[in-house]
PDB file of all heavy atoms in Angstrom:
ATOM      1  N   THR P1229      24.913  14.458   2.082  1.00  0.00           N
ATOM      2  CA  THR P1229      23.694  14.119   1.405  1.00  0.00           C
ATOM      3  C   THR P1229      23.842  12.850   0.571  1.00  0.00           C
ATOM      4  O   THR P1229      23.043  11.988   0.537  1.00  0.00           O
ATOM      5  CB  THR P1229      23.233  15.346   0.540  1.00  0.00           C
ATOM      6  OG1 THR P1229      22.933  16.430   1.281  1.00  0.00           O
ATOM      7  CG2 THR P1229      21.971  14.900  -0.288  1.00  0.00           C
ATOM      8  N   THR P1230      24.992  12.791  -0.173  1.00  0.00           N
ATOM      9  CA  THR P1230      25.282  11.619  -0.981  1.00  0.00           C
ATOM     10  C   THR P1230      25.370  10.370  -0.152  1.00  0.00           C
ATOM     11  O   THR P1230      24.836   9.299  -0.413  1.00  0.00           O
ATOM     12  CB  THR P1230      26.545  11.743  -1.790  1.00  0.00           C
ATOM     13  OG1 THR P1230      26.416  12.956  -2.619  1.00  0.00           O
ATOM     14  CG2 THR P1230      26.890  10.552  -2.680  1.00  0.00           C
ATOM     15  N   PHE P1231      26.075  10.441   1.067  1.00  0.00           N
ATOM     16  CA  PHE P1231      26.232   9.293   1.867  1.00  0.00           C
ATOM     17  C   PHE P1231      24.860   8.865   2.521  1.00  0.00           C
ATOM     18  O   PHE P1231      24.607   7.635   2.468  1.00  0.00           O
ATOM     19  CB  PHE P1231      27.236   9.647   3.105  1.00  0.00           C
ATOM     20  CG  PHE P1231      27.282   8.569   4.026  1.00  0.00           C
ATOM     21  CD1 PHE P1231      28.152   7.437   3.741  1.00  0.00           C
ATOM     22  CD2 PHE P1231      26.649   8.595   5.260  1.00  0.00           C
ATOM     23  CE1 PHE P1231      28.205   6.388   4.662  1.00  0.00           C
ATOM     24  CE2 PHE P1231      26.732   7.578   6.213  1.00  0.00           C
ATOM     25  CZ  PHE P1231      27.628   6.455   5.900  1.00  0.00           C
ATOM     26  N   LEU P1232      24.118   9.779   2.909  1.00  0.00           N
ATOM     27  CA  LEU P1232      22.805   9.421   3.475  1.00  0.00           C
ATOM     28  C   LEU P1232      21.851   8.857   2.461  1.00  0.00           C
ATOM     29  O   LEU P1232      21.143   7.931   2.737  1.00  0.00           O
ATOM     30  CB  LEU P1232      22.191  10.655   4.171  1.00  0.00           C
ATOM     31  CG  LEU P1232      22.978  11.158   5.465  1.00  0.00           C
ATOM     32  CD1 LEU P1232      22.335  12.436   5.876  1.00  0.00           C
ATOM     33  CD2 LEU P1232      22.763  10.041   6.536  1.00  0.00           C
ATOM     34  N   SER P1233      21.867   9.409   1.208  1.00  0.00           N
ATOM     35  CA  SER P1233      21.012   8.940   0.181  1.00  0.00           C
ATOM     36  C   SER P1233      21.408   7.584  -0.179  1.00  0.00           C
ATOM     37  O   SER P1233      20.542   6.749  -0.625  1.00  0.00           O
ATOM     38  CB  SER P1233      20.984   9.840  -1.036  1.00  0.00           C
ATOM     39  OG  SER P1233      22.264   9.862  -1.653  1.00  0.00           O
ATOM     40  N   ALA P1234      22.699   7.229  -0.097  1.00  0.00           N
ATOM     41  CA  ALA P1234      23.147   5.864  -0.457  1.00  0.00           C
ATOM     42  C   ALA P1234      22.592   4.827   0.476  1.00  0.00           C
ATOM     43  O   ALA P1234      22.552   3.647   0.157  1.00  0.00           O
ATOM     44  CB  ALA P1234      24.654   5.887  -0.416  1.00  0.00           C
ATOM     45  N   GLN P1235      22.177   5.276   1.705  1.00  0.00           N
ATOM     46  CA  GLN P1235      21.645   4.320   2.657  1.00  0.00           C
ATOM     47  C   GLN P1235      20.177   3.921   2.394  1.00  0.00           C
ATOM     48  O   GLN P1235      19.594   3.027   3.072  1.00  0.00           O
ATOM     49  CB  GLN P1235      21.727   4.886   4.028  1.00  0.00           C
ATOM     50  CG  GLN P1235      23.090   5.458   4.428  1.00  0.00           C
ATOM     51  CD  GLN P1235      24.277   4.473   4.146  1.00  0.00           C
ATOM     52  OE1 GLN P1235      24.332   3.418   4.675  1.00  0.00           O
ATOM     53  NE2 GLN P1235      25.244   4.888   3.340  1.00  0.00           N
ATOM     54  N   ALA P1236      19.500   4.642   1.494  1.00  0.00           N
ATOM     55  CA  ALA P1236      18.081   4.495   1.291  1.00  0.00           C
ATOM     56  C   ALA P1236      17.607   3.093   0.895  1.00  0.00           C
ATOM     57  O   ALA P1236      16.573   2.682   1.261  1.00  0.00           O
ATOM     58  CB  ALA P1236      17.578   5.559   0.272  1.00  0.00           C
ATOM     59  N   GLN P1237      18.523   2.350   0.157  1.00  0.00           N
ATOM     60  CA  GLN P1237      18.139   0.998  -0.222  1.00  0.00           C
ATOM     61  C   GLN P1237      18.730  -0.070   0.643  1.00  0.00           C
ATOM     62  O   GLN P1237      18.832  -1.165   0.225  1.00  0.00           O
ATOM     63  CB  GLN P1237      18.572   0.813  -1.736  1.00  0.00           C
ATOM     64  CG  GLN P1237      17.700   1.611  -2.751  1.00  0.00           C
ATOM     65  CD  GLN P1237      18.075   3.062  -2.754  1.00  0.00           C
ATOM     66  OE1 GLN P1237      19.220   3.480  -2.494  1.00  0.00           O
ATOM     67  NE2 GLN P1237      17.054   3.897  -2.967  1.00  0.00           N
ATOM     68  N   MET P1238      19.137   0.316   1.853  1.00  0.00           N
ATOM     69  CA  MET P1238      19.781  -0.733   2.726  1.00  0.00           C
ATOM     70  C   MET P1238      18.626  -1.421   3.550  1.00  0.00           C
ATOM     71  O   MET P1238      17.579  -0.977   3.837  1.00  0.00           O
ATOM     72  CB  MET P1238      20.744  -0.020   3.682  1.00  0.00           C
ATOM     73  CG  MET P1238      21.924   0.543   2.994  1.00  0.00           C
ATOM     74  SD  MET P1238      23.165   1.198   4.212  1.00  0.00           S
ATOM     75  CE  MET P1238      23.610  -0.365   5.090  1.00  0.00           C
ATOM     76  N   GLN P1239      19.029  -2.619   4.019  1.00  0.00           N
ATOM     77  CA  GLN P1239      18.095  -3.494   4.822  1.00  0.00           C
ATOM     78  C   GLN P1239      17.612  -2.682   6.011  1.00  0.00           C
ATOM     79  O   GLN P1239      18.358  -2.036   6.710  1.00  0.00           O
ATOM     80  CB  GLN P1239      18.845  -4.720   5.246  1.00  0.00           C
ATOM     81  CG  GLN P1239      17.993  -5.637   6.102  1.00  0.00           C
ATOM     82  CD  GLN P1239      18.716  -6.909   6.532  1.00  0.00           C
ATOM     83  OE1 GLN P1239      19.881  -7.053   6.270  1.00  0.00           O
ATOM     84  NE2 GLN P1239      18.080  -7.819   7.170  1.00  0.00           N
ATOM     85  N   GLY P1240      16.312  -2.817   6.199  1.00  0.00           N
ATOM     86  CA  GLY P1240      15.645  -2.189   7.366  1.00  0.00           C
ATOM     87  C   GLY P1240      15.062  -0.812   7.130  1.00  0.00           C
ATOM     88  O   GLY P1240      14.260  -0.302   7.912  1.00  0.00           O
ATOM     89  N   ASN P1241      15.413  -0.196   6.012  1.00  0.00           N
ATOM     90  CA  ASN P1241      14.888   1.076   5.693  1.00  0.00           C
ATOM     91  C   ASN P1241      13.396   1.020   5.147  1.00  0.00           C
ATOM     92  O   ASN P1241      13.073   0.019   4.607  1.00  0.00           O
ATOM     93  CB  ASN P1241      15.738   1.836   4.661  1.00  0.00           C
ATOM     94  CG  ASN P1241      17.041   2.419   5.227  1.00  0.00           C
ATOM     95  OD1 ASN P1241      17.198   2.371   6.455  1.00  0.00           O
ATOM     96  ND2 ASN P1241      17.838   2.995   4.412  1.00  0.00           N
ATOM     97  N   MET P1242      12.692   2.054   5.406  1.00  0.00           N
ATOM     98  CA  MET P1242      11.295   2.137   4.978  1.00  0.00           C
ATOM     99  C   MET P1242      10.933   3.422   4.180  1.00  0.00           C
ATOM    100  O   MET P1242      11.693   4.340   4.261  1.00  0.00           O
ATOM    101  CB  MET P1242      10.339   2.052   6.270  1.00  0.00           C
ATOM    102  CG  MET P1242      10.472   0.794   7.050  1.00  0.00           C
ATOM    103  SD  MET P1242       9.372   0.828   8.468  1.00  0.00           S
ATOM    104  CE  MET P1242       7.753   0.821   7.660  1.00  0.00           C
ATOM    105  N   TYR P1243       9.837   3.354   3.499  1.00  0.00           N
ATOM    106  CA  TYR P1243       9.440   4.617   2.863  1.00  0.00           C
ATOM    107  C   TYR P1243       7.881   4.616   2.738  1.00  0.00           C
ATOM    108  O   TYR P1243       7.206   3.542   2.896  1.00  0.00           O
ATOM    109  CB  TYR P1243      10.019   4.746   1.453  1.00  0.00           C
ATOM    110  CG  TYR P1243       9.378   3.711   0.365  1.00  0.00           C
ATOM    111  CD1 TYR P1243       8.224   4.002  -0.225  1.00  0.00           C
ATOM    112  CD2 TYR P1243      10.048   2.523   0.130  1.00  0.00           C
ATOM    113  CE1 TYR P1243       7.659   3.088  -1.130  1.00  0.00           C
ATOM    114  CE2 TYR P1243       9.484   1.697  -0.785  1.00  0.00           C
ATOM    115  CZ  TYR P1243       8.295   1.935  -1.385  1.00  0.00           C
ATOM    116  OH  TYR P1243       7.755   1.094  -2.352  1.00  0.00           O
ATOM    117  N   VAL P1244       7.371   5.837   2.556  1.00  0.00           N
ATOM    118  CA  VAL P1244       5.966   5.987   2.205  1.00  0.00           C
ATOM    119  C   VAL P1244       5.912   6.787   0.893  1.00  0.00           C
ATOM    120  O   VAL P1244       6.813   7.605   0.692  1.00  0.00           O
ATOM    121  CB  VAL P1244       5.141   6.715   3.347  1.00  0.00           C
ATOM    122  CG1 VAL P1244       4.951   5.807   4.495  1.00  0.00           C
ATOM    123  CG2 VAL P1244       5.770   8.037   3.614  1.00  0.00           C
ATOM    124  N   GLY P1245       4.952   6.538   0.092  1.00  0.00           N
ATOM    125  CA  GLY P1245       4.882   7.230  -1.203  1.00  0.00           C
ATOM    126  C   GLY P1245       3.528   7.013  -1.816  1.00  0.00           C
ATOM    127  O   GLY P1245       2.602   6.583  -1.217  1.00  0.00           O
ATOM    128  N   GLY P1246       3.508   7.257  -3.141  1.00  0.00           N
ATOM    129  CA  GLY P1246       2.283   6.963  -3.857  1.00  0.00           C
ATOM    130  C   GLY P1246       2.133   7.835  -5.032  1.00  0.00           C
ATOM    131  O   GLY P1246       3.079   8.513  -5.478  1.00  0.00           O
ATOM    132  N   GLN P1247       0.948   7.725  -5.670  1.00  0.00           N
ATOM    133  CA  GLN P1247       0.642   8.415  -6.849  1.00  0.00           C
ATOM    134  C   GLN P1247      -0.779   9.051  -6.726  1.00  0.00           C
ATOM    135  O   GLN P1247      -1.601   8.552  -6.016  1.00  0.00           O
ATOM    136  CB  GLN P1247       0.668   7.521  -8.044  1.00  0.00           C
ATOM    137  CG  GLN P1247       1.878   6.694  -8.227  1.00  0.00           C
ATOM    138  CD  GLN P1247       1.736   5.651  -9.282  1.00  0.00           C
ATOM    139  OE1 GLN P1247       1.470   5.979 -10.408  1.00  0.00           O
ATOM    140  NE2 GLN P1247       1.910   4.387  -8.939  1.00  0.00           N
ATOM    141  N   ILE P1248      -0.946  10.213  -7.396  1.00  0.00           N
ATOM    142  CA  ILE P1248      -2.282  10.797  -7.466  1.00  0.00           C
ATOM    143  C   ILE P1248      -2.423  11.289  -8.915  1.00  0.00           C
ATOM    144  O   ILE P1248      -1.520  11.866  -9.445  1.00  0.00           O
ATOM    145  CB  ILE P1248      -2.451  11.877  -6.409  1.00  0.00           C
ATOM    146  CG1 ILE P1248      -3.946  12.432  -6.389  1.00  0.00           C
ATOM    147  CG2 ILE P1248      -1.458  12.976  -6.653  1.00  0.00           C
ATOM    148  CD1 ILE P1248      -4.163  13.380  -5.268  1.00  0.00           C
ATOM    149  N   GLY P1249      -3.644  11.196  -9.435  1.00  0.00           N
ATOM    150  CA  GLY P1249      -3.898  11.572 -10.799  1.00  0.00           C
ATOM    151  C   GLY P1249      -5.314  12.199 -10.960  1.00  0.00           C
ATOM    152  O   GLY P1249      -6.231  11.729 -10.269  1.00  0.00           O
ATOM    153  N   PHE P1250      -5.426  13.080 -11.831  1.00  0.00           N
ATOM    154  CA  PHE P1250      -6.731  13.713 -12.198  1.00  0.00           C
ATOM    155  C   PHE P1250      -6.689  14.176 -13.598  1.00  0.00           C
ATOM    156  O   PHE P1250      -5.760  14.726 -14.093  1.00  0.00           O
ATOM    157  CB  PHE P1250      -7.072  14.922 -11.237  1.00  0.00           C
ATOM    158  CG  PHE P1250      -8.303  15.599 -11.620  1.00  0.00           C
ATOM    159  CD1 PHE P1250      -9.525  15.005 -11.214  1.00  0.00           C
ATOM    160  CD2 PHE P1250      -8.367  16.742 -12.340  1.00  0.00           C
ATOM    161  CE1 PHE P1250     -10.729  15.592 -11.578  1.00  0.00           C
ATOM    162  CE2 PHE P1250      -9.551  17.362 -12.635  1.00  0.00           C
ATOM    163  CZ  PHE P1250     -10.740  16.759 -12.252  1.00  0.00           C
ATOM    164  N   ASN P1251      -7.727  13.830 -14.391  1.00  0.00           N
ATOM    165  CA  ASN P1251      -7.917  14.273 -15.701  1.00  0.00           C
ATOM    166  C   ASN P1251      -9.341  14.464 -16.061  1.00  0.00           C
ATOM    167  O   ASN P1251     -10.213  13.699 -15.670  1.00  0.00           O
ATOM    168  CB  ASN P1251      -7.371  13.130 -16.649  1.00  0.00           C
ATOM    169  CG  ASN P1251      -7.470  13.469 -18.071  1.00  0.00           C
ATOM    170  OD1 ASN P1251      -6.883  14.491 -18.515  1.00  0.00           O
ATOM    171  ND2 ASN P1251      -8.244  12.763 -18.836  1.00  0.00           N
ATOM    172  N   THR P1252      -9.640  15.553 -16.710  1.00  0.00           N
ATOM    173  CA  THR P1252     -10.940  15.823 -17.206  1.00  0.00           C
ATOM    174  C   THR P1252     -10.893  16.536 -18.592  1.00  0.00           C
ATOM    175  O   THR P1252      -9.955  17.268 -18.855  1.00  0.00           O
ATOM    176  CB  THR P1252     -11.731  16.710 -16.176  1.00  0.00           C
ATOM    177  OG1 THR P1252     -13.083  16.877 -16.663  1.00  0.00           O
ATOM    178  CG2 THR P1252     -11.079  18.102 -16.066  1.00  0.00           C
TER     179      THR P1252
END
């Protein structure tokens, strides 16, 4: 897991993400 997570910021890698919020 540590080795694979270390690759996350390497050239060619991609991600999807974002934020969602609600307040009333």
Side-chain angles (χ1 to χ4, degrees):
T1229 299
T1230 302
F1231 175 77
L1232 290 171
S1233 65
Q1235 313 306 305
Q1237 289 75 34
M1238 292 186 64
Q1239 180 180 3
N1241 283 357
M1242 299 180 64
Y1243 72 82
V1244 292
Q1247 307 171 61
I1248 186 170
F1250 177 78
N1251 179 63
T1252 184

